[in-house]
Amino acid sequence: MSILTELSVSIRNVLDTFFGSDTDVMSQQVKYIMANPQDRRNYLNALQKLRALEEQGQHGTEVVRLSNNESLELTV
């Protein structure tokens, strides 16, 4: 990541922290994921698998690969 991109992300996070709505249930990253049908499907499938593990009293991790080649690691 370039320095300008990192600065942009950091500034956006600071501004969201101070001026963002307190009533938002989803983070900006989750909103971005939900806007893309393929990413939304992959994310929700991973959550479903983790819920099943949690119901069985187990712990686990699911990695979600997004369409922009980012990956998220979800853990229960």
Side-chain angles (χ1 to χ4, degrees):
M1 223 188 254
S2 73
I3 297 286
L4 292 176
T5 304
E6 289 183 36
L7 283 173
S8 171
V9 169
S10 296
I11 290 171
R12 188 175 338 119
N13 288 338
V14 168
L15 291 175
D16 282 343
T17 300
F18 286 108
F19 301 110
S21 172
D22 289 341
T23 60
D24 283 344
V25 176
M26 294 188 292
S27 69
Q28 289 292 56
Q29 187 173 20
V30 173
K31 288 179 184 178
Y32 175 77
I33 291 168
M34 292 300 173
N36 182 317
Q38 179 184 358
D39 290 344
R40 178 178 49 231
R41 184 174 43 251
N42 292 341
Y43 184 78
L44 293 176
N45 285 341
L47 285 178
Q48 208 169 32
K49 290 177 185 176
L50 289 174
R51 282 189 190 122
L53 282 175
E54 189 176 35
E55 287 173 0
Q56 297 171 1
Q58 299 177 356
H59 300 283
T61 300
E62 285 289 323
V63 176
V64 178
R65 173 80 52 193
L66 302 176
S67 59
N68 63 358
N69 290 328
E70 285 185 41
S71 63
L72 299 174
E73 187 172 343
L74 307 174
T75 305
V76 170

